[in-house]
Amino acid sequence: MLRRGDARRYNSARMPRTNERLEALLSEWADLLEISGADSFRVRAYQKAARAAGGHSRDVGDLGEKELRQIPSIGAHMAARIREFVETGTMHDLEELRELVPAGLRELTRIPGLGPKKAVLVNRELGVASIPDLLDAIEHQRLRAVKGLGAKTEENLLRGIRNLREHGGRMTLDVALRVAEDVIEELRGRAAVEEVAYAGSLRRMQDTIGDIDLLVASTTAPEVTEAFVGLPGVQSVVARGDTKSSVLTAKGLQVDLRVVAPEVWGAALQYFTGSKAHNVKTRAIAVKKGLKLSEYGLFEVESGRRIASRTEEEVYAALGLPWILPTMREDAGEVEAALRGDLPDLVSLGDLRGDLHGHTDSTDGVATLEEMLGAAAARGYAYYAVTDHAEKLHMSGMKRETVLEQRDRIRSLQGRFPTMAILHGCELNIDRDGGLDYPDEFLAGFDFLVASIHSRFNLPRDEMTRRLLRAIENPFVNVIGHPTTRMIGRRPEVDVDLEAVLSAAARTGTALEVNCHPDRLDLRDEHVRWAVERGAAIAISTDAHAPTHLENMRFGVATAQRGWLTKARTLNARSLRDVREFVARKRGK
Ligand code: DGT
Ligand code: CA
Ligand code: CA
Ligand code: ZN
C-alpha cells in the first residue's frame, strides 16, 4: 500500500482517458488484422500507432488532424480514424473487422502463448475455432501433426489456457485502480459521505483484481447507495440493499459497496481489506484474548462492550499488534512477525531515488530523451538511467553509432537537471545461449546495463536456466529485466530454475528487476520474497516508454512490498554513489 501522501502525489497526472481507449482499440485492430492475414507491415503500423496514442503527453482527443499527424507513427489515415473515434465514439472499419473475425478465433488469441499467427494456423489446418476445440485437439495430439507445432507447443498452450482461466475475468491493477478512483471521486463530494476508500485485493495491491470493494462511512446509508447505483459509469445493478450493493460497469467489472457507520470505520476497513486468510488469523488472536472481531468492531465477549473500531490502528493495537501494511496482509507470516514485534521495514515509494530502466524515441519509446528526463526530474529523482534497446531487438534496436550519438547528447544534457544525474545505459537482449548484443569493450562504455529476454520464451528449463546464468555472470550486466517475461493473462512465465538464478544474482552482485508495468509485475510478489531470502538485490523499474509510465512505480513498489522487500535490498533506494559502486564492484574495479 502506498503511504497516504504518495497516492495524492500521483493522482494528478495520469494517462488521458482518450489516449488509453485509443491504445486499446488500435492494438485490438492490429490483432484482428493479423488474424485476417493482413501483411505484417500494416499490423506493425497499427501496433505503433496504438503505442504512440497511448503514450502521448497530451490528450489526443484535443488534437486536430494536423496536430495528430505530427505525432510520430501517426499518418493521415490513422489521424482520420482517431478523429472519427473522438467525434463518434467508434471506428467504423474496426467494427466491420470485428464482425469478420469469428468470436471463437478472437477468444483463441487471448490464450497466453497463442498469438494471432498460431490461431490462424490451427484454425486453417485443424479447423480449431474455439478454446474447447483447441483442448480437444491437444488431448488427441493433433497439434503435432501440423508443421511448426509440436509436443512442446501442446504443453505451452495447455499452460496458457490454465493461465487464462486463473486470471480470466480478473483485471489488472491499473484498470481496477482507475475505476475505483473514479467512483471515489464521484462519491467524495456528496454530503452523506464522510469517508470513502477502496478495500479488498485492490488495497492489498494484488497483481490481478476479481472485483472492486468500496467502503463508505455515512450516517445515511440509503442516500449513499442511491448515489452509487446512479453513477454514470454503472451499466447494471447486481444487488441493492440499504448498506450493501453491487454494480457492473460497462466493461463488466463488478464494484461492491458497503456503507458503515463512521464509528466503525476502522474495523470495517480492516475486515474488508482482508485477505480472508489474514482475517482468520486476526480473529483467532481476538478469541484467545476473550474478544470477538467483526466488521463492526472488536468486542469483549462477556460484557459485549466495544473496545476498538474507529481506526485500523486502534483495532490492531487492541489485539496487541502494530498496524500492518495492507500489502502484507496475506497470512504469509506477517501476523506472526507482528506478534514478535519483528515486522520488516519495507521499501516505500518515498524511499526511491531513481529509476533504472526507461526508453526514448531512439528505440520504441514515444517521447524524446529530453521529455523523459524532464518527467523523471519532476519526480525528484537523483538519477535516471536511459536504457534503450540494443541492436539485436527485432527491427527496433539501436545501431552502435546511434548509441554513441545518444551518449553525446546525454553528456551535453548533464547539469540541465541540477539535482539529477543521467546514467547512459542500454537494455541488452539475452540471446538463446545467454550471449549479449555487444562485445565487452563496447559494454564497458555504458554507466549501467539491463539485460532481458525478448525472444525464445519456450526453451526447456535447463537451457533457459543456463541462458540466464550466463547473462548474470557477465561483469557488465547490472540488472536482469522482467526476469520471467510473463504478461499477465497473455504470456506465461518462462520455465526456469529461479532459485539458481537468484543465488547466482546474489553471488555476482546482479540485481533482479521488479518491472512496474501493470501487465508484467515481474518479478512477482512471491519471487521477490525468494530473492530477499537468497540475498539478491532488487531494482524496482518502470521500463517507461512514455512519461506517464513513470507513474507505474507505485505498482512495482506494492509488488515489492508484497514480497517483503526492504529498503536496504532495493538498488534504486540507494544513493547515486552506491549505485555506481554496485556497478564498479561487479566490473572488478
Ligand atoms: P478478489 O476480489 O477476488 O480480487 O479478492 P478480495 O480479497 O478482494 O475478495 P472479496 O472481494 O471476495 O472480499 C473482499 C474482502 O472482504 C476480503 O479480502 C475479506 C473480506 N471478506 C469477504 N468475505 C469474507 C468472509 O467470508 N470471511 C472473512 N473473514 N472475510 C471476508
Ligand atoms: Ca474484491
Ligand atoms: Ca467483493
Ligand atoms: Zn525495456
Side-chain angles (χ1 to χ4, degrees), residues 35 97-107 123 129:
I35 297 176
L97 197 55
R98 277 183 185 146
E99 300 285 312
L100 284 172
V101 178
L105 214 50
R106 268 188 278 153
E107 197 196 2
N123 177 257

Side-chain angles (χ1 to χ4, degrees), residues 362 368-370 405-413:
S362 287
T368 63
L369 177 64
E370 289 79 358
E405 271 164 33
Q406 189 178 57
R407 187 166 303 159
D408 284 342
R409 278 173 73 197
I410 285 178
R411 207 163 277 153
S412 72
L413 284 167

Side-chain angles (χ1 to χ4, degrees), residues 180-200 203 212-229 231 241-245 255-270 272-273 295-296 309-310:
E181 283 177 344
D182 279 355
V183 176
I184 286 175
E185 213 167 286
E186 294 270 1
L187 292 178
R188 184 168 278 139
R190 318 261 170 159
V193 174
E194 290 191 17
E195 310 239 28
V196 51
Y198 53 80
R203 185 160 179 244
I212 297 166
D213 303 285
L214 292 183
L215 195 64
V216 163
S218 172
T219 50
T220 48
E223 212 174 302
V224 177
T225 304
E226 182 77 34
F228 174 64
V229 300
L231 288 179
D242 266 358
T243 60
K244 218 172 139 176
S245 41
V255 186
D256 293 346
L257 174 75
R258 278 290 275 246
V259 188
V260 300
E263 62 271 20
V264 306
W265 172 254
L269 191 56
Q270 198 280 329
F272 290 109
T273 296
E295 64 263 55
Y296 303 107
S309 66
R310 180 72 236 187

Side-chain angles (χ1 to χ4, degrees), residues 357-359 387 389 427 452 454 482 515 543 545:
H357 182 172
H359 299 267
T387 60
H389 290 287
E427 182 177 14
S452 318
H454 289 120
H482 43 73
N515 188 292
D543 193 2
H545 285 68

Side-chain angles (χ1 to χ4, degrees), residues 170-171 199-204 206 208-213 256 268 270-280 283 329-330:
R170 298 182 67 85
M171 57 199 126
S201 53
L202 179 56
R203 185 160 179 244
R204 302 196 313 279
Q206 220 172 285
T208 61
I209 307 298
D211 65 23
I212 297 166
D213 303 285
D256 293 346
Q270 198 280 329
Y271 180 90
F272 290 109
T273 296
S275 66
K276 281 169 196 149
H278 174 87
N279 288 357
V280 168
R283 270 204 308 271
R329 300 184 197 171
E330 296 292 349

